[in-house]
Amino acid sequence: MMRSTLAYGFFLVLMSLSLLFAAEIHAKEEKTSKKGTVTKEAARKKTSTTKAAETKKAGADSRTAGTATAAESAGATTGEARAQVTEIRYWSNPDYTRVAITLDREVRFESNQIKQHVSDANPSRIYIDLNASRLGPGVKDLSIGDGLLKTARVGQYRADVVRVVLDVENVKDYKVFPLSDPFRIIIDVKGVRPLEISRLTEQIQPAPAVAAEPKKIEPRDEKPRVGARFKPGKIRRIVVDPGHGGHDPGAVGAHGTQEKNVVLAIGLKLAEKLRDELGIDVVMTRSTDVFIPLEERTAIANKVNADLFVSIHANASLNRGASGIETYYLNLAKTEKAAQLAARENGTSLEKVSLLQAILFDLMANYKLNDSAHLAEEVQKALYRKLHGQYPSTRNLGVKQGPFYVLVGATMPSILVETAFISNEAEEERLKDSSYQEQAAEGILEGVKGYISSLK
């Protein structure tokens, strides 16, 4: 009986150990199984993340700008304030296109290009990523179709990135640079004029006059038109650009004279003289009191294939005694005064002018700097000669250079003329005088004429 009891007890111990051992093995297997499941899940997530990254990368090659989910678009994944893309515009002619992206604040951006094939000389797409940005209401894709660009497409690529994609048809070169106040990103695209487009008639001719009954006109004595004798040669079209306008008055004199008004008066007189006396076609960036963004002014000149661009302004200084006339062409500012003037005319800060100067190193390669300097010399010389004859106290401040937004991107010789200091009370009175405006316009005309004559 004793042996039987001991044997039974020994049997129970063995059974307990066996069960414990089996439980431990089961536990290890379960742990291993769970570990395997976690590893697979991690691998799946990693694969998913990799695919997402590849998709985003491939989105650059995609024919549509990337679009975020509704939650991302609503800012569910980010708490930071984002800039808003408020507008996308373009101006073009057969061998030039300018695209302007406007935002309500400054952002970091990246520009890239994609080639259909690695061996291709030119890109098939250009895209701009705007960081910390969101797409504003009403901003839509643009159909361009000008022979250089097909379309400009825009979308919320990620929660905090807006992507603008330019579908390229025929591009030789392009430049991307920012402008300030408001913040804009400019893309200037240049290409070879396609043969079929080059044959198109330019759409800038005035509309034909409506037939009317002939009126009897009394004969009158008229001065012979110089335009009948003067041969403009290569210069067939000039863009005259009166600065500022609309909500932007420009500099304001001590007696309330606004720069925008006096330079418009001079510009209108100059345009009439160029047409009547030199027989040259003239396009004005504005002929009334309207606001034209700086980037649009040179875009207009490029669009109409202008041969010269003349921007008219009135100077200003904190030194009320400062006076005189000066003419500028686009280049790096050599003096602090030139930089300060550029900041005022650009409607921005000295810091932003410094940033623009850095960008200009890359931008100026294709600009006609020598031709612009030559035009500035001729205009400054003739303008001083004309004004000094009537107003002996006029000072000749010479030809200078500076980083003016309004001149950036011009594909023709371009200058900015400061016709007097509106901050100087005596010169403010002159600027308001129609006679002075007439003399200033005549001086610029003579300068343009001298430049044209020197080309022959």
Side-chain angles (χ1 to χ4, degrees):
M1 182 69 179
M2 185 65 145
R3 287 181 181 177
S4 176
T5 303
L6 288 174
Y8 182 71
F10 182 70
F11 174 75
L12 290 177
V13 170
L14 287 176
M15 287 295 293
S16 299
L17 290 174
S18 177
L19 289 172
L20 287 172
F21 181 70
E24 185 176 355
I25 291 175
H26 180 73
K28 285 182 178 181
E29 287 178 347
E30 187 176 2
K31 185 176 181 182
T32 302
S33 176
K34 286 182 179 179
K35 183 177 181 181
T37 303
V38 171
T39 304
K40 288 179 182 178
E41 178 66 13
R44 188 187 66 77
K45 287 183 178 178
K46 183 177 180 181
T47 301
S48 177
T49 303
T50 303
K51 286 182 178 179
E54 289 172 351
T55 300
K56 287 178 180 177
K57 183 178 179 182
D61 300 341
S62 158
R63 298 188 63 84
T64 58
T67 304
T69 64
E72 288 175 325
S73 297
T77 60
T78 178
E80 69 173 303
R82 293 173 294 165
Q84 179 171 282
V85 178
T86 59
E87 186 180 39
I88 299 180
R89 302 178 67 193
Y90 80 95
W91 304 264
S92 68
N93 67 7
D95 52 15
Y96 164 88
T97 304
R98 168 171 283 185
V99 177
I101 307 166
T102 304
L103 297 94
D104 62 1
R105 71 186 74 176
E106 190 169 331
V107 299
R108 289 187 303 105
F109 66 92
E110 300 168 6
S111 64
N112 291 283
Q113 64 179 28
I114 300 164
K115 295 182 178 180
Q116 194 73 26
H117 305 288
V118 178
S119 59
D120 289 350
N122 299 315
S124 61
R125 292 180 201 84
I126 300 165
Y127 68 93
I128 316 294
D129 281 346
L130 313 174
N131 297 312
S133 302
R134 60 189 175 89
L135 199 57
V139 179
K140 299 178 180 178
D141 296 351
L142 299 177
S143 177
I144 299 176
D146 60 1
L148 299 185
L149 297 177
K150 300 174 184 176
T151 55
R153 294 175 289 106
V154 59
Q156 193 75 44
Y157 180 57
R158 289 199 300 268
D160 60 346
V161 176
V162 170
R163 172 168 289 182
V164 178
V165 179
L166 306 182
D167 291 310
V168 171
E169 185 168 341
N170 182 15
V171 167
K172 184 178 179 182
D173 188 24
Y174 71 96
K175 300 289 184 185
V176 181
F177 56 94
L179 296 179
S180 301
D181 304 319
F183 184 73
R184 289 98 76 206
I185 297 167
I186 309 297
I187 306 104
D188 277 352
V189 176
K190 298 177 183 178
V192 178
R193 183 192 296 261
L195 181 63
E196 64 274 14
I197 293 181
S198 67
R199 292 174 178 167
L200 295 176
T201 303
E202 292 177 340
Q203 301 300 314
I204 57 172
Q205 300 297 331
V210 178
E213 293 183 6
K215 294 181 180 180
K216 186 176 180 181
I217 302 175
E218 295 295 330
R220 61 177 181 177
D221 294 331
E222 290 185 349
K223 296 180 181 179
R225 288 182 59 173
V226 180
R229 298 193 306 269
F230 185 78
K231 303 295 183 183
K234 297 178 181 179
I235 307 302
R236 297 165 297 172
R237 181 172 296 122
I238 297 177
V239 167
V240 174
D241 172 49
H244 308 282
H247 64 76
D248 175 15
V252 180
H255 299 291
T257 306
Q258 296 183 336
E259 179 183 359
K260 68 173 184 177
N261 296 327
V262 295
V263 299
L264 177 59
I266 295 172
L268 290 169
K269 288 177 169 59
L270 173 60
E272 184 179 8
K273 291 177 183 293
L274 288 168
R275 292 187 187 105
D276 293 347
E277 299 184 30
L278 301 189
I280 292 176
D281 181 29
V282 179
V283 175
M284 296 196 68
T285 56
R286 70 179 185 97
S287 55
T288 59
D289 184 18
V290 295
F291 175 76
I292 306 291
L294 294 176
E295 69 272 16
E296 185 172 346
R297 295 170 187 256
T298 41
I300 290 171
N302 291 337
K303 181 175 181 178
V304 301
N305 291 314
D307 299 300
L308 299 177
F309 178 82
V310 179
S311 190
I312 303 171
H313 291 258
N315 217 331
S317 172
L318 293 176
N319 175 12
R320 297 293 181 180
S323 65
I325 57 172
E326 54 192 1
T327 305
Y328 284 82
Y329 65 96
L330 181 69
N331 209 329
L332 305 179
K334 288 188 174 180
T335 66
E336 186 176 351
K337 284 186 178 180
Q340 288 173 344
L341 177 62
R344 186 181 70 78
E345 296 292 7
N346 293 345
T348 187
S349 64
L350 272 174
E351 181 184 4
K352 296 295 173 58
V353 168
S354 298
L355 291 173
L356 178 60
Q357 297 225 108
I359 296 167
L360 279 177
F361 277 111
D362 182 50
L363 293 179
M364 289 188 306
N366 297 321
Y367 290 172
K368 299 181 180 294
L369 298 185
N370 292 336
D371 292 336
S372 295
H374 180 196
L375 175 61
E377 289 283 357
E378 292 290 345
V379 168
Q380 178 68 18
K381 179 173 63 177
L383 180 59
Y384 174 70
R385 184 171 59 243
K386 176 63 68 174
L387 292 177
H388 187 260
Q390 292 287 112
Y391 307 89
S393 63
T394 300
R395 296 178 60 207
N396 185 353
L397 302 180
V399 171
K400 300 176 182 178
Q401 56 192 53
F404 295 92
Y405 284 168
V406 73
L407 302 180
V408 173
T411 57
M412 71 293 300
S414 53
I415 60 173
L416 185 149
V417 184
E418 297 284 2
T419 54
F421 275 79
I422 202 168
S423 54
N424 179 298
E425 289 192 38
E427 293 199 347
E428 179 187 2
E429 290 303 312
R430 290 178 187 174
L431 284 167
K432 292 192 297 183
D433 183 13
S434 179
S435 176
Y436 184 87
Q437 295 168 2
E438 193 76 27
Q439 293 297 311
E442 187 69 30
I444 297 172
L445 170 79
E446 290 299 323
V448 170
K449 186 178 178 181
Y451 173 80
I452 294 173
S453 297
S454 71
L455 299 179
K456 297 177 181 178

